[in-house]
Amino acid sequence: MEFIFLLSRLILGLYFLFNAFNHFTKLAMLAEYAKSKNVPMPKLAVIFTGFLLLIGGISILLGIYIEIGVLALTIFFLPVTFIMHNFWQIQDPQMKMMEMINFSKNIAIWAGVLLLLFVPQPWIYSLGW
């Protein structure tokens, strides 16, 4: 069980770190997408959300400051999910389906992240105390 929990933490933490890396390395492209969704100050928003993903990813990966990591990811998921993946406002059926999938994925991942608050701490093989 301990190994599965550690492996799951590594996968989840690296997933968020990978996405944070994309926010910083694909800033122009993601800012254009955010701009198309009428996000104010899209470049700054992408940088900010990249840092939220970075905080959450490091927290989960290392097993430290879990409440802060979950809070950072919650601050990420709520606006991003409802603004960037607002499938209910899209007319094109293919785009609507794509956004609905991304919306549902974000809600599911966020729910999984929230569950981490109920895992007793410190976590096994973590840098937490």
Side-chain angles (χ1 to χ4, degrees), residues 2 17 22 24 33-34 47 50 52 59 91 104 112 115:
E2 294 169 354
L17 291 178
N22 280 340
F24 301 127
Y33 181 54
I47 293 169
L52 293 172
S59 171
Q91 300 304 314
S104 300
L115 286 173

Side-chain angles (χ1 to χ4, degrees), residues 26-44:
K26 296 180 173 130
L27 178 60
M29 180 183 72
L30 292 174
E32 278 300 313
Y33 181 54
K35 184 178 177 183
S36 77
K37 294 286 191 163
N38 299 316
V39 171
M41 299 182 289
K43 192 172 187 178
L44 185 61

Side-chain angles (χ1 to χ4, degrees), residues 16 37 39 48 78-79 95 108-110 122:
F16 290 124
K37 294 286 191 163
V39 171
F48 178 68
L78 285 178
M95 289 301 294
I109 293 171
W110 178 51

Side-chain angles (χ1 to χ4, degrees), residues 23 49 75-86 103 106:
H23 273 64
T49 55
I75 293 168
F76 169 82
F77 276 116
L78 285 178
V80 167
T81 301
F82 287 92
I83 294 170
M84 301 303 292
H85 304 301
N86 55 346
F103 178 90
N106 278 11

Side-chain angles (χ1 to χ4, degrees), residues 5 66 70 108-120 123:
F5 183 68
I66 302 308
V70 169
I109 293 171
W110 178 51
V113 166
L114 289 174
L115 286 173
L116 294 175
L117 293 173
F118 298 95
V119 176
W123 293 347

Side-chain angles (χ1 to χ4, degrees), residues 51-95:
F51 278 112
L52 293 172
L53 289 166
L54 184 65
I55 292 166
I58 290 171
S59 171
I60 292 168
L61 191 66
L62 300 180
I64 58 174
Y65 305 110
I66 302 308
E67 293 84 1
I68 293 171
V70 169
L71 178 62
L73 291 170
T74 296
I75 293 168
F76 169 82
F77 276 116
L78 285 178
V80 167
T81 301
F82 287 92
I83 294 170
M84 301 303 292
H85 304 301
N86 55 346
F87 67 90
W88 52 90
Q89 293 184 341
I90 297 176
Q91 300 304 314
D92 177 80
Q94 287 182 321
M95 289 301 294

